[in-house]
Amino acid sequence: MSQPSLNRSILKLAIPNIVSNITVPLLGFVDMVLMGHQDSVAYIGAIGLGGTIFSVMYSVFSFMRAGTTGFTAQAYGADDQTEMTHSLYRALGIALISTVLVLSLQGFVEWLSLKLLNGSEEVLAFTVTYFRVRIWAAPAVLCLYAFNGWYIGMQNTTIPMTIAIVTNVVNIALSILFVNAMGMGVSGVALGTVVAQYCGLAIAVVFLFTKYRKHLMPIQKEILLQADKLKRFFSVNADFMIRSILLVLSIAYFNNQSAKLGDDMLAVNMILMQFFYIFSYFTDGFAYAGEALVGRFTGAHDGEQLRRTVRLLLVWGFLIALPFTLLYALFPDWFIGLVSDQPDILPMAKPYHIYLALIPLVTFAAFLWDGIYIGATAARAIRNTMLISAIGVFLPATLLLMPRFGNHGLWTAFLLFMVARGLSMTLMARKAVFATK
C-alpha cells in the first residue's frame, strides 16, 4: 500500500470516528451549558462529579471495546472468519455478565462514591440524584462497548459513527426537553442519557443483522471456550482494564482535588476540562483508525505497513494539535463563556488560560499511541506506561505542587501526567509494537 493510499485509508477510518467522537464532548458541553445556566454553580459540580463516577465505573469494563477491536482487527488481517465472529460473541458474553454485576452493586458504588468525592452538601445531593437515574443505562453502554469495538476491528467506522450521532442527538434533544421544558434539573440530563443509550444499542443490533448477517455463524463452543484463546483474551483485557482504571482514576483524582478548592474553582476546572475532552475525542478519531490499521497489519505480519502507519498517524496528530492550540490561545474567554454565564467564572478562569492553550500540543502523542498499542494488543506495555505516568508522575507531582501553587500546581501536574504518557509509550514502542511484527 503506497503512502497516498495509506493516508486515504487512515482518513477513511478517522473521519467517521472524528464525527462520532465530536458528538460525545458536544453532549457533555450541552449538559454543562444546561447546568451552567441554572441558579447555582452546584449543578455544574454535580454533573462533573456524577460523570466522574460513571467514568471510573465504566473504565473497569472499557477493555471490552479496546480488546475487541485489537483481536478482531488482527483476525481481519489474518482473514480468519471464524475468529472474527467469535471475538464479538466473547465480548457480548462478558458485557452481559458485567451488566448483572454493575446493577447488583449500584448501592455500594453510590455509597463508596460519596465517601471518596469531595464537594459541598448541595453538590453531593445533586450528584446522587444524577447517579440513581443514569445507572440504568449500564446494560446498553456495556453492550455498545462490544459492538463498537467489533465494528472498528472489522475496519468499519461508519456504523459506530451512525450509532454515536443518533445516540447523542437524541440525548441532547431529550436533555433540553427534560431540563428546559419540564424543569427536571440533573435528573433530566441523566434520563436523557438512559433513553439515548438504548436507542444506540437498538441501532447496533439492526446493523449486525443487516450488514453482517453472513458473519452470524452458530456459536462453536470449542472455539469460543478454547483455553489458549480465553487465556490471551483475559490476559490482554486485564492489562487494558488496569490501564483504563488508572487513566480514569487520574482524571477523577484531578476532579476530586478541584472540589477541595471550592465549588467555584471546581466549576472552573470542570469547564476547562470540557475542552480537553473536545480535543481528546477529536484526536481519538485518528487513534481509532490506528487501532484498526495497526491491528490489521499486525495480524497480516506486515511490518513495513505497520511502521508507515504509525509515522503517518503521529504526523496527523501534530497537524491537528496546531489549530486547536491557536484557537484555545486566542479565544479562551469566548470558549469559556459558551459554557457558563455565571458572573464569577470568567475572571476566575483567566489565570488558567495558559493550560487550555497547552492541552493540544502536550496530549496528542498520548492519545495516538493509545490507539497504536491497542491495535497491536500490546497490553502489558500500555499498562506499564500508565503505571509510570499515573503513580510515578501525576500523583507525586500533585502532592508536591498543589500545596504550594494551588490550582496552578494541579494543572501542571496533570499536564506532566500527559507528557509522561506520550514519552513513555514512544520509548517503549520499538519493543512493544514493532519487535515481532
Side-chain angles (χ1 to χ4, degrees):
M1 188 182 293
S2 65
Q3 182 164 316
S5 178
L6 186 53
N7 264 321
R8 285 193 295 270
S9 294
I10 289 173
L11 289 174
K12 182 180 178 181
L13 290 166
I15 290 174
N17 276 318
I18 290 171
V19 173
S20 61
N21 285 345
I22 286 174
T23 66
V24 177
L26 179 61
L27 171 62
F29 182 83
V30 170
D31 287 349
M32 279 291 176
V33 169
L34 289 171
M35 296 299 99
H37 289 78
Q38 300 295 309
D39 58 5
S40 171
V41 296
Y43 287 95
I44 299 176
I47 291 295
L49 295 183
T52 296
I53 295 172
F54 287 99
S55 294
V56 173
M57 184 176 70
Y58 289 142
S59 72
V60 177
F61 305 102
S62 63
F63 66 84
M64 286 186 290
R65 193 210 61 77
T68 303
T69 297
F71 286 123
T72 304
Q74 290 180 24
Y76 183 94
D79 196 25
D80 187 341
Q81 298 288 334
T82 302
E83 184 56 27
M84 286 183 223
T85 302
H86 282 76
S87 291
L88 175 62
Y89 292 162
R90 289 190 196 98
L92 286 174
I94 297 298
L96 293 175
I97 294 171
S98 301
T99 291
V100 174
L101 181 64
V102 167
L103 294 180
S104 299
L105 295 176
Q106 60 179 292
F108 172 75
V109 172
E110 178 187 317
W111 172 82
L112 182 62
S113 299
L114 293 179
K115 291 292 184 182
L116 297 177
L117 291 174
N118 285 294
S120 68
E121 185 176 336
E122 185 180 17
V123 167
L124 293 179
F126 286 139
T127 301
V128 168
T129 299
Y130 180 84
F131 174 84
R132 290 180 179 178
V133 176
R134 187 176 164 182
I135 188 66
W136 294 103
V141 171
L142 296 174
C143 288
L144 279 171
Y145 279 157
F147 277 114
N148 285 333
W150 190 74
Y151 286 132
I152 294 171
M154 295 295 289
Q155 316 295 296
N156 187 328
T157 56
T158 303
I159 291 176
M161 176 189 72
T162 304
I163 293 170
I165 290 174
V166 173
T167 299
N168 289 303
V169 167
V170 169
N171 199 339
I172 289 169
L174 290 178
S175 293
I176 292 172
L177 173 66
F178 294 151
V179 174
N180 286 349
M182 302 177 66
M184 295 177 64
V186 292
S187 61
V189 170
L191 182 59
T193 300
V194 173
V195 176
Q197 291 294 339
Y198 284 101
C199 290
L201 179 59
I203 294 169
V205 173
V206 169
F207 274 120
L208 180 67
F209 281 94
T210 53
K211 190 172 179 62
Y212 289 96
R213 180 177 292 273
K214 67 179 181 179
H215 289 280
L216 296 178
M217 62 180 66
I219 296 175
Q220 299 180 41
K221 290 183 180 179
E222 65 276 11
I223 295 176
L224 187 69
L225 303 177
Q226 191 173 336
D228 60 335
K229 292 186 182 297
L230 283 176
K231 181 179 179 181
R232 184 165 182 254
F233 179 85
F234 284 109
S235 175
V236 167
N237 283 322
D239 287 331
F240 280 149
M241 180 177 68
I242 292 170
R243 167 259 178 196
S244 297
I245 291 173
L246 285 171
L247 175 59
V248 178
L249 281 176
S250 296
I251 294 175
Y253 181 67
F254 176 92
N255 294 344
N256 199 35
Q257 294 303 302
S258 298
K260 290 182 178 179
L261 299 172
D263 285 359
D264 286 342
M265 193 58 72
L266 172 63
V268 168
N269 282 358
M270 293 304 95
I271 290 170
L272 293 177
M273 284 296 284
Q274 291 306 306
F275 300 103
F276 166 78
Y277 296 137
I278 287 172
F279 176 72
S280 72
Y281 282 115
F282 197 98
T283 311
D284 273 347
F286 284 89
Y288 287 176
E291 292 178 22
L293 289 172
V294 169
R296 173 183 172 183
F297 295 134
T298 298
H301 302 289
D302 191 338
E304 180 182 351
Q305 295 288 6
L306 175 60
R307 287 172 173 80
R308 188 178 295 172
T309 297
V310 171
R311 287 195 297 269
L312 289 176
L313 284 168
L314 292 172
V315 170
W316 277 109
F318 180 72
L319 293 176
I320 292 167
L322 284 178
F324 269 92
T325 295
L326 289 174
L327 288 171
Y328 285 173
L330 293 174
F331 308 106
D333 284 338
W334 184 82
F335 282 112
I336 294 168
L338 283 176
V339 181
S340 177
D341 61 356
Q342 292 288 331
D344 296 335
I345 293 297
L346 279 178
M348 286 191 66
K350 279 187 182 296
Y352 310 104
H353 287 175
I354 182 62
Y355 307 110
L356 186 62
L358 287 172
I359 282 171
L361 287 175
V362 165
T363 61
F364 82 89
F367 297 138
L368 291 173
W369 278 118
D370 269 350
I372 293 163
Y373 274 61
I374 288 169
T377 57
R380 181 173 298 178
I382 201 173
R383 178 202 66 191
N384 291 342
T385 59
M386 185 59 72
L387 284 167
I388 293 168
S389 303
I391 299 176
V393 175
F394 182 45
L395 181 60
T398 303
L399 295 174
L400 179 65
L401 297 175
M402 194 175 170
R404 184 172 181 181
F405 301 106
N407 203 37
H408 287 287
L410 179 59
W411 272 104
T412 300
F414 183 75
L415 293 182
L416 287 173
F417 165 61
M418 297 303 296
V419 170
R421 290 185 60 213
L423 182 60
S424 60
M425 284 191 280
T426 300
L427 294 174
M428 294 183 68
R430 176 174 294 182
K431 181 178 180 180
V433 178
F434 303 122
T436 59
K437 311 299 187 290

